[in-house]
Amino acid sequence: MLRIAVCVSGGGTNLQAIIDAIKDGNIKNTEIVLVYSNNPNAYALERAKNAGIPSKCISPKSFETRELFNEAFLNTLEEANPDLIVLAGCLVVIPKKVVSKFKNRIINIHPSLIPSFCGTGFYGIHVHEKALERGVRVTGATVHFVDEGTDTGPIILQKAVMIKQDDTPKILQQRVMEEAEWKILPEAINLIAQGKVRVEDRKVYID
Ligand code: GRF
C-alpha cells in the first residue's frame, strides 16, 4: 500500500479526483492517510471529512515565526508517515527541510506545460491570465516532483489543452482542470504506486 498525504489550500477538486480514482480502482494499492490544509475554510477539508479521511489544518498565520510553522508542518507530515506527499492546489511554500526529508517523494500539479508559465508568482488563476495575455494556442498541466526550486523538479506527466478564442482565465482554468489535471494527477499517483516511476539525473523514466 502506498500511503499518501495530500496537501491542499482551496476547493480540493484535485483531491476529489484522487479520492474517486482510488474508489474506482484507477489508482491501485493506495491509501490517503492525511489531508493537510493551511486554510481552515478550504472546501477540500469538507471533502476529506465526507470521505472519512483524517485531516489537519495548521495555518502559518497562527505561528509567531515561519520557522515555527515549518517545524509544525514537518511534524504533521512525519506523524502521518506517508510514502508520498501530493501537493494538490497547495499554496504553502514547502520548507527546504521537508523537501530534503522527502526527496523525490513529493509531487505537485501545476496548471501549465512547464517550463511555460511557471515559477514565482505563477499560481492559481494568474497562470491562465498569463497564458491568455501571451496568446498561446496550447496550454495544459504538469505533474512533477518537487525540488528546492519553484516548479523546477523532474517532470512526470504532462497533458496539453487547446486554448479557444473566447476563453477567459476562469473558463480556461476549468478546462485545464477537467481535461488535464484531474486525469494526470491520479495517473501519476497510480504509476508511483505500481513502482513504475524512476528518477535519474533529474529526469523521470516510466518503466
Ligand atoms: C489547480 O488549478 C491546481 O493546478 C492549482 O490550484 C488549483 C487547485 O484546485 N495549483 P483544487 O483546489 O484542486 O480545486
Side-chain angles (χ1 to χ4, degrees):
M1 269 291 190
L2 184 81
R3 295 167 58 84
I4 63 172
V6 184
C7 300
V8 296
S9 297
T13 60
N14 279 290
L15 167 67
Q16 192 64 52
I18 299 167
I19 293 171
D20 294 346
I22 291 174
K23 203 169 98 213
D24 298 344
N26 293 325
I27 300 178
K28 295 182 187 67
N29 299 319
T30 298
E31 176 190 8
I32 305 177
V33 293
L34 175 74
V35 169
Y36 161 81
S37 175
N38 61 309
N39 168 12
N41 301 316
Y43 185 68
L45 288 170
E46 205 60 37
R47 295 180 192 272
K49 197 166 143 206
N50 293 340
I53 299 165
S55 64
K56 190 157 183 181
C57 175
I58 46 172
S59 164
K61 289 183 191 143
S62 51
F63 291 83
E64 255 174 50
T65 64
R66 194 70 194 191
E67 285 65 37
L68 287 172
F69 164 75
N70 286 351
E71 214 170 285
F73 181 57
L74 177 61
N75 287 341
T76 300
L77 291 170
E78 280 183 329
E79 268 166 33
N81 191 27
D83 301 308
L84 181 72
I85 297 170
V86 179
L87 309 181
C90 179
L91 296 178
V92 171
V93 176
I94 304 304
K96 282 203 164 55
K97 219 172 170 181
V98 173
V99 176
S100 59
K101 280 242 156 150
F102 291 89
K103 190 170 163 55
N104 289 338
R105 291 199 291 141
I106 309 176
I107 64 171
N108 179 49
I109 178 84
H110 182 79
S112 77
L113 294 173
I114 289 175
S116 288
F117 309 112
C118 65
T120 308
F122 287 87
Y123 62 91
I125 197 78
H126 305 304
V127 178
H128 306 290
E129 284 166 1
K130 296 283 181 204
L132 291 177
E133 249 169 60
R134 184 61 186 84
V136 291
R137 301 290 188 193
V138 183
T139 184
T142 303
V143 182
H144 63 93
F145 283 108
V146 172
D147 65 6
E148 291 71 18
T150 306
D151 303 327
T152 52
I155 291 170
I156 307 167
L157 292 177
Q158 294 190 298
K159 191 165 191 294
V161 172
M162 299 306 290
I163 288 182
K164 295 182 183 170
Q165 195 110 329
D166 299 330
D167 275 346
T168 63
K170 272 222 152 303
I171 291 172
L172 183 57
Q173 181 179 46
Q174 185 65 24
R175 184 164 348 98
V176 168
M177 290 203 286
E178 280 171 17
E179 291 184 9
E181 294 181 44
W182 301 342
K183 295 194 168 120
I184 60 174
L185 185 57
E187 196 183 332
I189 296 168
N190 188 48
L191 287 169
I192 292 169
Q194 308 313 307
K196 292 186 172 165
V197 176
R198 186 163 48 90
V199 186
E200 252 173 56
D201 291 336
R202 302 189 36 77
K203 266 168 84 180
V204 168
Y205 296 84
I206 297 174
D207 299 317

